[in-house]
Amino acid sequence: AAALNPVLQLHEIADHLTAHPMGLHPIGRRSREPRGDTSLRDSIEWSHQLLTPDERTVHRRLAVLSPEFSLDAAIAVCADAEVRADRVLPALAGLAYRSLLDALGPGRDGGPSRFHQLAPMRAHAAEQLSLDGEAAIVAERRNGWARALLLSGPRPGRPGQAAFYQQIGDSHRTITDSMFAAAGTGPCDQDVFAVARLLPYWIDRMIPADPLRISTALARSVTDANGPLARAAAVLVRGAVLAANQQASVVHDELLRATADIRQVSFDQADAGCWTQIADLLIVTASCCWIGDDFELTATIAHLADDHANHLDDPDLRLCAAMFGCLTGLWEDPASAAATATELSAQSHAIGNDLTALMASVTCSIAALLEGDGVVGLHWTAAALRLQRTLGVRSIADTLETRGNHYVTAGQPVEAVRCYGAAHLQQYRQGRPWPHHPGTGRRLDAAREALSLKDFANAWAEGERIGAADLIEDWL
C-alpha cells in the first residue's frame, strides 16, 4: 500500500482497497517470503489451506455476520449437521490462531466473547461462501436467529427487559443487519413483529441511524401477501420512530389510517399472541407520539390499545392505557392526574409492570412542575431514574431536563445546570433540538443569573461528563 503512494492519491488507494480488500500486491520487487506469496489474497489463501475442514466451513459462514460479532451469533449461523455446535468454538480458536480472526473478549461483564473479522479475511470468506453455494442458506439462518431472539424477549416494561437489551447489544450490528436484509426482501409477518420488538430498544438506548433506515425499508416492502395486522404494524413502527424524533406531524395521518385499519380486523382473524404483539406496539407508539407532543394522536392510539386490553383481558395493557389518560389530562387538572397516576403506580409495582410505573412517575413529575413544587418533583424524577435503570434505559434526557427544572424551583441552581448539561448532550447526540420542554429556557436563564460564569461553566461541564458516561447512578 505504501508503494502505491507515489503513484496514486490516498483516497484512490482507499477506494481500491474498499472495492478489492484482498487486492494488495508487492510492487517493484519480488517477495522474499519462503512461501512465495504474491498478493494479500495469496497470504490469506495460504493460511486457509492449513485449516481443518471445520475451520474452513466456519470461516466462510462468518461472512454473513457483521465484521464484529458475538460467540452466540457465530454458533447460530455456523452450526448445522456438518459442523455441530460444540465444534464451532474450537474452530473459532483455530481461525484466531491462524490470524484469520481477532478475538476481542467480552464487551461487558458476563457477556459473550466477541470476534472481529478484518476486511480482507471477510472478503475471502465471502468468496468461499459464494463458491460453496450456501450463501442464501446461511444468511437465512442468520435472519432466523435474529428474528427468534427478538420475539423471545419480554414484553415492554416487564421483568427481564434490561437483560434482553444487553442481549441485543451483544449482537446489535448483526441483528440490525439481519432485520434490514429481511425488511428489504419481502418480510414475513414475523419479521415485521421482530422489528417492532426493536423499537423500544432503539428509543431507550439512543440508537440514531438504524431506526429510520430499517423502519422505512419495512414499510415499503410489506405487500398484500402480509396479513393486515403486519401491514399496519409496519406503518406504526415507522411512525413511532419519526414521532419520537419530533416529526409526528409528518406521520400523523399515516398513523391514524393504520389505527383505522387495525379496527377493521376482527379478533378471530389472528391468534391472541398476534393481538398481544399489536397491543404492545400500540402502547410503544402512543408513548412515541407523546414524546413528539402529538397528544391527540397519543389519545387515539391509547384508546385502541385499551380496547385490545379489554378483549385480551390483559391487566398490564389496561394499566398502560389508563396511564395515557393521566398523561393527556395533565394540562387540564394536574392534581387529579397526579392522584390517579399515584394509584396506578402502586398497582404497577404490584404486578411488576415497570413501564406503567415509569409513566406514572413522569406524570407526577410534570404535575409537580405545573404546580411549582420542586421538592415533590425531585422525588418523582428520582423514582423515574431508578425505574429507567431497572429497565435498562439510557435515553434519560427528558427526565434530566425536567429534574433540572425542579432543581431551579427548589433553589438549587448548580444541580439544575448539571442536569441541563447532560440533557443537552444526550439530545445533541441524537440530533434533536434542546430544550425540549416549554419553560426550560426561562428556568435555564434563572439558573445562569444565580451563578457566576465560572460556576455555571463548571456545573455544565460536570453534567456533560456524567451524561457522556450514561451513569444513572451518578444522578441518584
Side-chain angles (χ1 to χ4, degrees), residues 369-389:
L369 190 64
L370 294 173
E371 296 183 325
D373 194 332
V375 174
V376 170
L378 290 172
H379 164 78
W380 284 110
T381 50
L385 287 169
R386 283 191 291 271
L387 286 163
Q388 287 172 319
R389 177 180 58 189

Side-chain angles (χ1 to χ4, degrees), residues 406-418:
H406 286 307
Y407 271 126
V408 172
T409 304
Q412 301 179 61
V414 172
E415 289 79 359
V417 173
R418 291 171 68 240

Side-chain angles (χ1 to χ4, degrees), residues 6 19 49 59 121 124 153 176 205 266 269 314 328 357 359 383 435 449:
Q49 292 300 322
H59 167 68
M121 289 69 173
H124 182 273
T176 51
R205 289 301 182 100
S266 62
Q269 286 183 251
D314 189 319
T328 54
M359 294 165 64
E449 292 174 3

Side-chain angles (χ1 to χ4, degrees), residues 12 69 82 90 112 187 303 347:
E12 292 170 328
F69 55 88
E82 182 180 352
H303 183 68
Q347 296 176 39

Side-chain angles (χ1 to χ4, degrees), residues 66 104 152 166 169 212 289 297 337 347 363 375 414 426 430 476:
S66 61
L104 304 179
S152 67
Q166 287 182 328
L212 187 58
C289 292
L297 195 54
Q347 296 176 39
T363 301
V375 174
V414 172
Q426 283 207 352
Q430 299 178 78
L476 294 171

Side-chain angles (χ1 to χ4, degrees), residues 1-2 4-5 8-24 119:
L4 291 172
N5 189 38
L8 300 174
Q9 299 178 73
L10 288 177
H11 71 86
E12 292 170 328
I13 299 173
D15 290 344
H16 171 70
L17 293 178
T18 299
H20 309 284
M22 295 183 289
L24 287 177

Side-chain angles (χ1 to χ4, degrees), residues 214-245:
I214 297 175
S215 63
T216 299
L218 186 71
R220 289 174 177 171
S221 300
V222 291
T223 67
D224 290 340
N226 295 104
L229 292 181
R231 294 198 300 271
V235 176
L236 290 176
V237 171
R238 178 177 178 272
V241 168
L242 289 168
N245 284 280

